[in-house]
Amino acid sequence: MKRRTFLAGTLGVTAAAFQIRPAFAAPVTSLSQLQSAINSAAAGTTITLANGSYAVGSGGITITGRNGTTSAPITIQAETRGGVTLTGPKSFVFSNSSNITISGFIFQQTSTLDLPVGSNRIRLTRNEFALGSAASHSVVVRGDDVKIDRNLFRDKTTVGVYLVIDGPSGDDVIAQRTYILRNHFRDHSFSGANGGEPIRLGVSSRALADADATVEYNLFERVNGDPEAISVKSSGNTIRYNTVRNSLGGIVLRHGNNNRVESNYILAGDNGIRIYGNDHLIVNNYVDSVDSAGIVLGSGTERDHTAGEPSSSRTGNDAPDRVVIVLNTLRNNGSGIAGESQRTVQPQTCQIRDNLLVGTSGSLTDLPYQSGVTFSGNILWGSASNGTIPSSGFTRADPKLTAGSDGVYRLGSGSAAINATTNHASRVTDDLDGHTRTAPYDVGADEYSTASPLRRPLIATDVGPNAP
């Protein structure tokens, strides 16, 4: 079909003004038609499956040797978002394919959707995953440059992870540059002690591999299958702008080094942020009303994990070295910042600086090992005791916290936290709300401002298949 474009200021039309608009084929109406269309798909092809419920056989819907491009992916989509339900043992089975987008489906299979090594730049967007109880994990990513965005993962009652980032079998490398954006992870009710995480970013054998994944703007609600909502078991990742609500799970740097945990909300659950490994930055986070500590600086069974170490060592806890915990707000938690005494290898060369700790009961700090920790510039307030923090590492002063319409407590006018610290521009240039920080910075996650926040705790309409 041709579209006519008139040149401004003339009535004439040149040949160059005619543009071809791509034609979209009518929806296919059966799995055999879908498979046939996939087998002949080329870059830029869009294949639409008519609304309905389809029972997929044990061979799955195969996508083999199909390659789109970055600017012209192959798109396989439901006729309307959420209008196609796939049941049966398998869904899509990938092999040696790239730049494929899967959009708008409800997955109710009894086995994992696997994005294997050699299938790169795959995108799963605006889908719903509610796999049967026989399924272990919902999605496993092994290929590089995969994007998982605006999906709903829901209602899992058995052991298994909603989303696993992994790598080749039998190797210690990991999928590269996974982008996990605006997904809704909710209602994981597995009651075992371990193995029900919403996201597991790596595994102990891959802990030293840089995954360079970004996990941002995701919402976790009632994720109670594991104490770790985001379980990081690899290196070089960014975890930011996420919201965890009313959940057993927290954000845990379980294995790996050089991860960044920035501007996350953890609200009214059981666990906050827990840290093992080296060279992490924990900045601008807001933890409110969790039963345990807002932040736990762990202890280790090992000083460091090293390449070639026995697998039994790799599964142990790497004591934190050179971890920086700065500009966080920890309010009304079981404790503000705590440590661990059950392991003997202590933190080393860690900094706890310019954090705001507020509480009405218990103690604001509880760190049994302090010889490897430097405290400075922290502000403590409330009827909770100071705990173990040395007197040189804090002041007691009123931050004048005021609740916003979103329930977040921010600095009020005249707060003692305003301009109370130095310039941390080498670490962060904005605050939890997305407001620019100006030197001297304010203590805690909030830089005082009368402007409306640019970022807030996420709610269901911000994420999932119908997200912006």
Side-chain angles (χ1 to χ4, degrees), residues 195-213:
E197 303 97 323
I199 295 177
R200 197 189 76 209
L201 183 46
V203 68
S204 59
S205 62
R206 308 181 198 276
L208 300 183
D210 280 346
D212 194 20

Side-chain angles (χ1 to χ4, degrees), residues 442-464:
D442 300 349
V443 169
D446 178 42
E447 188 84 357
Y448 175 71
S449 175
T450 58
S452 296
L454 302 176
R455 293 191 296 262
R456 294 181 180 272
L458 298 169
I459 59 175
T461 54
D462 296 321
V463 294

Side-chain angles (χ1 to χ4, degrees), residues 95-98 116-120 142-144:
S95 176
N96 298 315
S97 296
S98 63
V117 174
S119 288
N120 302 323
R142 305 181 198 274
D144 294 341

Side-chain angles (χ1 to χ4, degrees), residues 58-81:
S58 58
I61 304 162
T62 58
I63 303 175
T64 303
R66 299 294 93 197
N67 296 282
T69 66
T70 302
S71 59
I74 295 170
T75 300
I76 304 167
Q77 64 183 16
E79 183 178 12
T80 61
R81 190 179 301 161

